[in-house]
Each structure stands twice: as structure tokens, then as C-alpha cells.
Amino acid sequence: MTILVTGGAGFIGSNFVRRWLHRHDELVVNLDKLSYAGNLENLAALSGNRRHEFVRGDICNRELVRSLLSTRRPRAIFHFAAETHVDRSIAETAPFVETNVVGTCTLLDEAKRHWDQLPPSDQNSFRFLQVSTDEVYGSLAADDPPFSESTPYAPNSPYAASKAAADHFVRAYWGTYRLPTLCSNCSNNYGPYQFPEKLIPLTLVNALAGRRLPVYGDGLQRRDWLFVHDHCDALELLLERGRPGETYNVGSGVEQTNLQVVGALCRLLDQVRPLPGSARYEDLIEFVTDRPGHDRRYAIDSAKIRRDTGWQSLTSFDIGLRETASWYLSNSRWLTEVQTGDYRDWINRNYGERASA
């Protein structure tokens, strides 16, 4: 049997592919266009693995998607491919609409065409799993209950709006055609292989280089932090036990402010890679002008996925953060290679002109 993974050279997608192939015997067809955050080095451990087929291509390429579905005949599609960085969506919205909305619609169209041609038994077992985000729900006040699957969508960034639109189309293909879809809305992921534009790897990269550690606003924006391997486990269980047409929130239940996360990383680095003399990494923290529309708090109620699948988050934040830092410290070549001229240009554009807060 076969599964199709889109965006499987990115952060969450590559973690999922490696973890899946370690546990299962079936073929994985991995479709990724290798944008700036997609990286074949994320899949280097799979070199020579005949159960992993990498295809470079865009989910907006209808002919390519149709060909893959007709020739590989996957029993499931895990849809990770997306533009995901809020700051980039603020600077330029069009790529987010193209990939996250148009690309998802193209994939849904071709998935439905493929599904229509399957025998009834295969139709019943087929699944289309949309990997989405808690950011579609907007922002919570300090005393609000966590997001549940019935929380109304209220996206506040172009990125979140594009993912919300994609989620709505996924839901519509179930409601209109009964294409067996599922949607997972996860909290902030962290772990190995994350591109260093996101908070944790960006902080690590800057700290190790002795550069300032930019923190937006007052740094008190709260997030639910989910270790990527726990998220991958949740997606596997959703394929096996999730109910078609349903949405499932996936989170650890552990809330940390951005400032707490940066501080924890600094103290960890003080232990494992101390600076000369009495210098501390926390001395590098610099509060900078907040980004527009920055959501204050996200929190996740994962009761539904626990009830329906038995999943639970197993990795404590302290252990997950230590494992993450250890991976980056042990993979300096990977870090050097992803910090290309384009990456440096983006960091300079996004942070270089921000005034100290």
C-alpha cells in the first residue's frame, strides 16, 4: 500500500515521513516543490530507502498530482505542504493564497477524481488529512478557555486566513461530495529540522553566533508548545481512528510565553555551551517592535482527539526543548547550509529595521 505526503521535505512533513517509514512497510510518495523551507537534507537519512519515493513538484500542478494519484494509487493523503510563516505573509500575501488555498483546492479536486474511481471498499478506507493550525481561531484573552473544535474561526494574519480558507474547502468536500476528509489543527510545533525563521531555532542560531535575540513587543504572547514527534503520532492515529468529516485539535496543553521560551533556551545554552567569562545568553535578548496583528494567546483543548484515538502528548516541554537544542548543536552543517543568502536577506529585512521596544 501507499500514502502520498505533500510537503514532506519541510519541518513537520520530513519528521512525519521518517517516523512513518521507521514504523510501517508501505511506500511513501513524497511530493515537495523544495521552496526555501523545503530541504532534501531533511531526508538524507532515507537515501537508498526503496519505500521512499521523492517527487519534486508543486501541488498547484494539476497534471502532476493527477498522474501521481492514478499511478501510485495511495490509500491516504497527508497534506502538509503550505507557506507557514506569519511574518512572511505580512510582507507578501500572494504566495500564501497560491499554495495554501489554490494548492489545497487543486489537491482536493484531484483527490476526489481519484476517489471516485476507487472500488467501494477502497473508497471507505481512503482518507484526506489536512494538517492545519490553531491560528485559524484567532487570539484568546488571558482568562478565555482553550480553543475547541467548535471555536469560531477568526484569523488575524494573512497566513492564518489562508489556512482557514483551506480548512473550509476541506470541510466542504466532505459536506458536498462525502470525500472522507479529516482536519487537524495543531499548536506551535518545535523540534529537529525546523527552519530557523521560527522562534526556537532562530533563537538558537542567533545565540550561537553571539547575535541579539529579538523578542517581539513585551514577549508575553502565550503559545501551546507541541513537540513535533508527538504531533506525528497524533496524525498516524487520526488516519487509523479519526472519524471522516471531523476536525481534531492537537496540542500539548503546555502554555509558555515567548519570553519564557527564549529564557529557557538561554539557560540551557549556558549549561551546554557557556559563553566566555561571566556572560550569559539572556544578556543578548532585545525587545523589538511587535509585528502587526500579533495574536496574544493560543491554547488547545485536545480532549476530542484523546477520546476518539487515545492519543496524548508524551514529551514534556523541558525534555523536548533539550532534545531540540541538542539536535541543532549536533548538526552545525545543516544549520550552515540552510542559512543561505536569501535567508540572511529575509532576516535583515524582517528584524534589521525593527526599533528596540
Side-chain angles (χ1 to χ4, degrees):
M1 295 190 292
T2 301
I3 64 168
L4 173 65
V5 175
T6 71
F11 164 47
I12 304 176
S14 66
N15 274 283
F16 178 83
V17 169
R18 290 191 306 275
R19 204 163 177 83
W20 180 275
L21 287 169
H22 180 70
R23 295 175 169 183
H24 302 275
D25 293 331
E26 60 191 304
L27 174 71
V28 174
V29 178
N30 185 347
L31 175 62
D32 197 301
K33 72 176 182 180
L34 297 182
S35 65
Y36 73 92
N39 186 354
L40 283 178
E41 283 296 311
N42 296 354
L43 304 168
L46 302 177
S47 177
N49 189 325
R50 291 186 294 177
R51 291 184 292 112
H52 177 244
E53 179 185 0
F54 180 79
V55 179
R56 183 170 185 174
D58 194 333
I59 57 172
C60 294
N61 184 337
R62 185 177 297 274
E63 290 73 24
L64 174 60
V65 172
R66 183 176 300 176
S67 174
L68 288 176
L69 292 175
S70 65
T71 57
R72 288 12 174 231
R73 299 180 63 82
R75 69 182 182 98
I77 298 173
F78 287 88
H79 180 31
F80 294 92
E83 297 282 348
T84 65
H85 192 39
V86 172
D87 291 341
R88 288 180 184 265
S89 78
I90 293 170
E92 187 179 6
T93 300
F96 290 76
V97 175
E98 180 69 14
T99 298
N100 298 357
V101 185
V102 176
T104 299
C105 287
T106 301
L107 200 60
L108 284 165
D109 277 346
E110 295 307 317
K112 179 184 176 298
R113 176 189 291 270
H114 167 69
W115 179 72
D116 282 340
Q117 298 170 358
L118 294 175
S121 60
D122 290 343
Q123 283 188 335
N124 291 336
S125 60
F126 180 83
R127 296 291 184 269
F128 181 108
L129 205 156
Q130 159 82 347
V131 182
S132 191
T133 171
D134 59 356
E135 296 193 37
V136 299
Y137 296 123
S139 186
L140 292 169
D143 57 352
D144 284 341
F147 298 133
S148 73
E149 289 79 5
S150 61
T151 301
Y153 276 25
N156 289 319
S157 71
Y159 159 62
S162 68
K163 291 297 288 187
D167 292 358
H168 288 316
F169 277 106
V170 170
R171 176 185 172 87
Y173 269 67
W174 164 256
T176 301
Y177 308 112
R178 280 302 186 259
L179 179 70
T181 63
L182 300 110
C183 184
S184 68
N185 294 92
C186 69
S187 59
N188 279 36
N189 278 220
Y190 69 100
Y193 296 95
Q194 189 170 31
F195 191 74
E197 64 187 359
K198 302 295 178 71
L199 179 63
I200 289 176
L202 176 65
T203 299
L204 284 166
V205 165
N206 283 358
L208 294 173
R211 295 191 292 263
R212 68 174 182 156
L213 309 180
V215 175
Y216 283 148
D218 60 8
L220 299 183
Q221 304 87 356
R222 299 187 69 86
R223 302 292 184 261
D224 178 312
W225 291 91
L226 176 66
F227 192 58
V228 66
H229 293 168
D230 289 342
H231 183 198
C232 294
D233 293 347
L235 297 174
E236 282 197 39
L237 285 170
L238 284 177
L239 176 63
E240 179 184 346
R241 304 174 188 174
R243 290 176 286 149
E246 295 291 328
T247 292
Y248 292 90
N249 285 348
V250 186
S252 68
V254 177
E255 292 184 51
Q256 299 277 343
T257 67
N258 288 349
L259 188 57
Q260 285 175 318
V261 171
V262 173
L265 274 171
C266 288
R267 291 187 293 275
L268 180 57
L269 289 174
D270 284 337
Q271 297 172 18
V272 300
R273 189 70 63 85
L275 292 168
S278 60
R280 300 182 311 152
Y281 285 98
E282 284 184 301
D283 297 334
L284 299 173
I285 293 174
E286 181 177 353
F287 296 94
V288 299
T289 306
D290 208 352
R291 72 183 179 206
H294 199 173
D295 291 332
R296 194 64 173 172
R297 175 177 170 244
Y298 306 144
I300 286 284
D301 179 351
S302 299
K304 182 177 178 180
I305 190 172
R306 292 198 304 269
R307 181 180 65 246
D308 282 11
T309 72
W311 174 84
Q312 58 181 334
S313 175
L314 298 176
T315 308
S316 72
F317 183 72
D318 289 343
I319 291 175
L321 196 65
R322 186 170 291 274
E323 287 189 19
T324 301
S326 176
W327 186 87
Y328 282 97
L329 290 169
S330 300
N331 288 272
S332 56
R333 186 176 69 85
W334 183 93
L335 265 181
T336 299
E337 290 181 356
V338 299
Q339 295 179 73
T340 63
D342 287 342
Y343 170 79
R344 290 193 297 271
D345 289 346
W346 162 252
I347 293 298
N348 289 334
R349 289 199 310 274
N350 192 52
Y351 294 101
E353 298 179 359
R354 292 186 186 272
S356 297

